[in-house]
Amino acid sequence: GIQVEQSPPDLILQEGANSTLRCNFSDSVNNLQWFHQNPWGQLINLFYIPSGTKQNGRLSATTVATERYSLLYISSSQTTDSGVYFCAVGTSGSRLTFGEGTQLTVNP
Amino acid sequence: DGGITQSPKYLFRKEGQNVTLSCEQNLNHDAMYWYRQDPGQGLRLIYYSQIVNDFQKGDIAEGYSVSREKKESFPLTVTSAQKNPTAFYLCASSTDMEETQYFGPGTRLLVL
């Protein structure tokens, strides 16, 4: 099956800093989603982005499908950005495969 | 409000007991999913359903069972055959397999 690798596994920032999270995948995909899991376990979908670039406030994402990677950018980080960020990918008509996540801690 | 609800929030299982986790959605989504999350790890797919009265095994279906008798409901039963059931269980739904998935708040299952 498809392999998903996220980096870095852990990231600690001071409030106000910027960060880039990476997701590499082993096969062509037509479904790629980024999620944020808050400290209480709730997963929120951030982006549906199988290709191209999207922005939502301080967050943006870019997927380069031909090179099999996606990047999630967080600017001017806030303590509420803390949690685990997951990348999940899928091929045509198939289920999502999740990476192991990046644990982000933003300190005040 | 549209969304996905899971109950209970916490569930305790005794040895040899079957327990059922509830998942309900009012988003009119065709596809529903059950995932298991162990501490510090990603999500692993247990079962999924693309349409009413149909479901498929995911990567770790052994010891679990599901049903999909109604579009809005996808209950998961953790059977006594699942020897290590302690985990966080998440239910999700989407319009179809290739669209955005929306998650419920999860159920934490603990073994007594």
Side-chain angles (χ1 to χ4, degrees):
Chain A
I2 193 165
Q3 305 297 312
V4 184
E5 194 173 297
Q6 291 187 242
S7 60
D10 297 280
L11 186 58
I12 300 175
L13 302 173
Q14 287 300 122
E15 203 167 23
N18 302 329
S19 61
T20 301
L21 282 59
R22 186 176 180 103
C23 172
N24 292 333
F25 42 94
S26 61
D27 204 350
S28 298
V29 300
N30 66 344
N31 187 349
L32 190 147
Q33 301 183 35
W34 282 98
F35 297 89
H36 174 228
Q37 185 171 39
N38 68 23
W40 298 270
Q42 176 74 58
L43 269 92
I44 301 297
N45 190 288
L46 299 174
F47 293 103
Y48 175 86
I49 186 165
S51 64
T53 298
K54 290 186 177 180
Q55 180 155 7
N56 184 3
R58 296 180 296 104
L59 273 60
S60 63
T62 295
T63 297
V64 183
T66 53
E67 297 188 21
R68 300 182 184 172
Y69 73 88
S70 182
L71 302 174
L72 178 68
Y73 305 97
I74 305 174
S75 65
S76 304
S77 57
Q78 301 176 357
T79 56
T80 52
D81 294 331
S82 295
V84 184
Y85 289 80
F86 288 105
C87 168
V89 304
T91 56
S92 179
S94 78
R95 34 66 60 85
L96 289 179
T97 298
F98 281 74
E100 293 290 302
T102 291
Q103 173 76 58
L104 175 65
T105 302
V106 181
N107 292 320
Chain B
D1 277 5
I4 303 175
T5 57
Q6 291 186 242
S7 62
K9 190 172 183 178
Y10 295 94
L11 186 57
F12 299 92
R13 194 191 91 162
K14 295 180 181 178
E15 292 289 338
Q17 187 181 41
N18 293 354
V19 292
T20 298
L21 285 61
S22 170
C23 178
E24 304 276 333
Q25 55 97 1
N26 61 4
L27 300 168
N28 200 34
H29 286 169
D30 284 315
M32 296 187 74
Y33 316 82
W34 274 106
Y35 293 93
R36 169 178 172 144
Q37 186 179 30
D38 292 286
Q41 298 188 24
L43 280 66
R44 292 184 291 167
L45 184 65
I46 305 172
Y47 269 98
Y48 63 100
S49 168
Q50 297 185 71
I51 199 165
V52 174
N53 293 322
D54 186 49
F55 49 83
Q56 287 79 40
K57 293 182 180 180
D59 298 322
I60 55 166
E62 186 174 348
Y64 301 97
S65 66
V66 294
S67 63
R68 186 86 187 276
E69 297 176 0
K70 298 186 296 182
K71 186 175 186 177
E72 59 270 22
S73 178
F74 191 40
L76 173 74
T77 296
V78 184
T79 74
S80 57
Q82 173 48 245
K83 297 306 179 188
N84 185 22
T86 296
F88 187 46
Y89 291 87
L90 288 153
C91 178
S93 71
S94 60
T95 52
D96 63 41
M97 293 286 287
E98 297 186 12
E99 295 299 323
T100 301
Q101 288 191 16
Y102 297 90
F103 281 80
T107 292
R108 294 191 187 276
L109 176 60
L110 299 169
V111 176
L112 297 178

